[in-house]
Amino acid sequence: MDKESQNRLKHFAALKSKYQAANYEDSSPSSLFYLILRKVDLEIELSELEFNWLQEHELFETIEIIWLQQFRMGESKRLEAEFSHLKAKYKVAKKWESSLSSVLYPILWKLESGNSLTDSEVKLLQDNNLVQTVAIVQDIKCFTALKEKFQATKYQDSCPDSRLYKILNKLDIEASLSESEYEWLLNHELFETIEIFEQQESTKQAEFTELKSKYQASKYPDISLASKLYQILQKLDANKKLNYEEIYWLEQQRLTETIAIANELEQKREFAALKTKYKANQYEDSSPASYLYLLLKRLDTEKQLSEDDIKFLIKYQLTETIEIVDDKYAYSLKIKIESVGILSDSELEWLNKKGHQDIIILAQQKHFTILKTKYGLILTNPTLSIDPFYKIMVKLEKKERLDILLVAQLIEQKLLSRDGKIAVAHYRLEAEFYEQEIKRTGHKWDIPTASSYWRKANEPEQALKITNLDLGKIREGNLKSAILVTRGAAFRDMDNLADAESCARKAINYQPNSYQPYTLMGAISYDRGDYAEGDYWFEQAIQRGAKTEDIDDELKRVFRSTKDENKRHEAAEYLLKKDSQRYAWAKSYLKKSSDNGK
């Protein structure tokens, strides 16, 4: 006999001993009994044929052992199936072990049997990240408490999916039940729970009646707790704002008194919020009719309050509110500076009064930048202060006259250009001033002065307009001469040399000893290119009191006003040939002419 056969014999003998069949005579491994015992030992279920065979051979003790073993096998499978069901019911993640020895099994069994978990058991679920299971545990705990509260403990099911749990949750927030939910309670004979619900409904019905009276809606006939009016009145009583749809519904029901109350409540809420925002809670009156309510509403939308508003705040010692008002207005002025760049005098005065020198400086710097651009001011020396230039330009913006000596000094120091926009604006203001003086006083000597300023302002037309008068009505010859000289100069500015000469000669006739008409004749001659003739007239002017420097200044003006480069070049050559030292300034016109010719 080979070794394998020997081993089979030993195994068969052991199985017979284990299953109480040692007396069975057949010991052959080829026996059907050996196959049956092997299947049993491997916990494989026997067929009916195999059980019949055992009975036929009267192996009753063996059958009893096998039945007991297979019962345990079935029970184990039932336990596993039950564990799987519990895991699914209580939403345990699939990755959790399925062994019946798992600590989770008794916890789920405890839940299923309606018993509460200990804190340590709940913590175990939490530590294993069984979030959904913990949520169900909390729901079960809540369900148990609700059943106790609403006297429904005789209902055994504690599953949160139960319809009772949903019903009790509604009762807990005092929500009305539907007909089907009420019938469900009846069908399950939960009469105590029904009684509690009916008490709630009775209380709410009384509340609805009271709310309708309180909010002047008693004329609305519907008394159902499902009415939209009940929900609206509850919202009003909870001091909550109604939405547009709810206001519209009240309008449709013509409940105007209720709407008025809702609006008043909303205003009170707004007033309370504004008092908190602007630190005015010490003011006790909370009525929307209060002056403070209107004041704070204005403050919330406007940049500055009126003087009466400030007096009101001072009267009621709302100092913190005043500080907020001041800070808000100061901030708005900063924003205005950044966007517009210019503040009014009243705004600057307010800033000065409140000590906001930093904002004033910021405003001046921004305004100065704007005015520099407008008036074409270029400061060649960056270390120079903005004064007096800023003050000058501000006065010009306000149409206020400047200090004539200051302007002349700045022009002399070459800090201002005599032909620049600041000088021109200054000359225009002076011209307008003297025109007003003429109208006010009738003083004729202001006519040549106004005309002269119009010419300096590059508006010779205005100079001609003001000097266009009947000289026959003027007795003084020197005044007639002065008017004609400035009129002739205006014609010359407009390149009308014929009329300019006519005025100059008439002026000479009226005042032969005045140098001014002769100077004008000299300039006209130079404009025509008749330099020798011009020198003659300039010499006549000197003989009558004109200074050499004045003649040279007039020549310089001739050069500046001449647009023809060739004529300027020609005149420059003439003067330099005549006296290169005296007329050295004319070299610059030669240079310009040379550059243009290259």
Side-chain angles (χ1 to χ4, degrees), residues 93-291:
K94 290 182 179 179
K95 63 181 181 180
W96 190 274
E97 62 174 309
S98 299
S99 171
L100 293 177
S101 62
S102 167
V103 69
L104 181 61
Y105 193 8
I107 292 176
L108 298 184
W109 179 266
K110 197 173 180 181
L111 280 176
E112 186 69 7
S113 61
N115 294 311
S116 300
L117 299 186
T118 64
D119 292 341
S120 60
E121 289 169 334
V122 173
K123 187 175 185 305
L124 185 143
L125 296 175
Q126 292 171 335
D127 291 345
N128 286 278
N129 204 29
L130 294 172
V131 179
Q132 291 179 293
T133 309
V134 172
I136 293 172
V137 170
Q138 297 301 329
D139 281 339
I140 291 173
K141 185 177 180 181
C142 181
F143 191 8
T144 302
L146 289 174
K147 286 200 290 184
E148 184 74 28
K149 180 178 180 180
F150 294 103
Q151 300 180 27
T153 51
K154 67 180 181 180
Y155 185 76
Q156 296 301 312
D157 188 0
S158 296
C159 178
D161 291 335
S162 165
R163 189 171 189 186
L164 179 61
Y165 185 38
K166 295 179 177 62
I167 291 173
L168 296 183
N169 270 315
K170 289 181 74 173
L171 290 180
D172 201 43
I173 60 173
E174 297 187 359
S176 296
L177 300 183
S178 66
E179 288 186 15
S180 63
E181 289 169 332
Y182 187 85
E183 287 178 5
W184 190 93
L185 292 174
L186 280 174
N187 293 336
H188 288 80
E189 300 181 354
L190 295 171
F191 303 119
E192 295 87 347
T193 308
I194 291 173
E195 185 178 350
I196 293 172
F197 164 66
E198 289 176 345
Q199 288 174 353
Q200 282 186 352
E201 292 295 285
S202 177
T203 302
K204 286 191 288 184
Q205 195 69 61
E207 179 195 35
F208 188 15
T209 302
E210 183 182 340
L211 289 175
K212 286 205 289 184
S213 175
K214 181 178 180 180
Y215 294 103
Q216 299 183 29
S218 297
K219 65 183 180 181
Y220 186 72
D222 191 355
I223 60 171
S224 168
L225 295 177
S227 164
K228 189 173 183 67
L229 179 62
Y230 183 42
Q231 299 169 18
I232 291 175
L233 297 183
Q234 281 182 311
K235 197 170 180 181
L236 280 178
D237 212 45
N239 200 26
K240 293 180 180 179
K241 182 178 180 179
L242 300 186
N243 57 39
Y244 171 79
E245 181 187 354
E246 290 163 335
I247 294 291
Y248 179 74
W249 188 89
L250 292 173
E251 289 174 348
Q252 294 297 104
Q253 310 308 316
R254 298 182 180 179
L255 295 170
T256 53
E257 295 89 347
T258 309
I259 294 171
I261 294 172
N263 290 336
E264 184 179 356
L265 290 173
E266 174 57 24
Q267 288 174 339
K268 283 184 177 180
R269 282 192 294 273
E270 183 185 25
F271 190 12
L274 288 172
K275 285 204 289 185
T276 300
K277 181 178 180 179
Y278 294 108
K279 299 184 178 180
N281 284 319
Q282 67 194 79
Y283 188 79
E284 294 181 359
D285 188 357
S286 60
S287 169
S290 164
Y291 182 81

Side-chain angles (χ1 to χ4, degrees), residues 531 558-573 586-597:
Y531 309 123
V558 170
F559 273 80
R560 285 198 300 270
S561 62
T562 301
K563 298 176 182 178
D564 190 328
E565 290 284 346
N566 292 328
K567 287 182 70 175
R568 283 196 297 197
H569 180 76
E570 182 183 295
E573 283 185 331
K587 289 180 181 179
S588 61
Y589 294 99
L590 278 179
K591 185 176 183 297
K592 287 182 181 179
S593 299
S594 300
D595 290 344
N596 289 338

Side-chain angles (χ1 to χ4, degrees), residues 151 153 185 203 219 308 320 398 422 449 479 495 515 564:
Q151 300 180 27
T153 51
L185 292 174
T203 302
K219 65 183 180 181
D308 288 341
E320 288 184 291
K398 296 178 181 178
I422 291 179
T449 304
L479 177 55
D495 294 327
Y515 68 85
D564 190 328

Side-chain angles (χ1 to χ4, degrees), residues 48-66:
E48 185 179 354
L49 176 67
E50 290 166 326
F51 269 112
N52 291 336
W53 187 90
L54 291 171
Q55 288 176 345
E56 288 174 5
H57 291 78
E58 299 180 355
L59 294 168
F60 301 116
E61 288 183 84
T62 304
I63 291 172
E64 186 177 348
I65 294 171
I66 292 172

Side-chain angles (χ1 to χ4, degrees), residues 289-300:
S290 164
Y291 182 81
L292 180 62
Y293 175 51
L294 300 176
L295 185 154
L296 295 180
K297 283 188 71 175
R298 285 195 296 274
L299 176 57
D300 213 40

Side-chain angles (χ1 to χ4, degrees), residues 565-582:
E565 290 284 346
N566 292 328
K567 287 182 70 175
R568 283 196 297 197
H569 180 76
E570 182 183 295
E573 283 185 331
Y574 173 79
L575 291 177
L576 288 168
K577 186 176 180 181
K578 181 179 176 182
D579 190 336
S580 60
Q581 187 173 355
R582 176 181 171 183

Side-chain angles (χ1 to χ4, degrees), residues 504-523:
R505 291 188 181 277
K506 288 178 182 178
I508 291 172
N509 290 335
Y510 283 120
Q511 194 179 14
N513 293 325
S514 172
Y515 68 85
Q516 290 175 330
Y518 296 93
T519 303
L520 176 58
M521 283 298 298

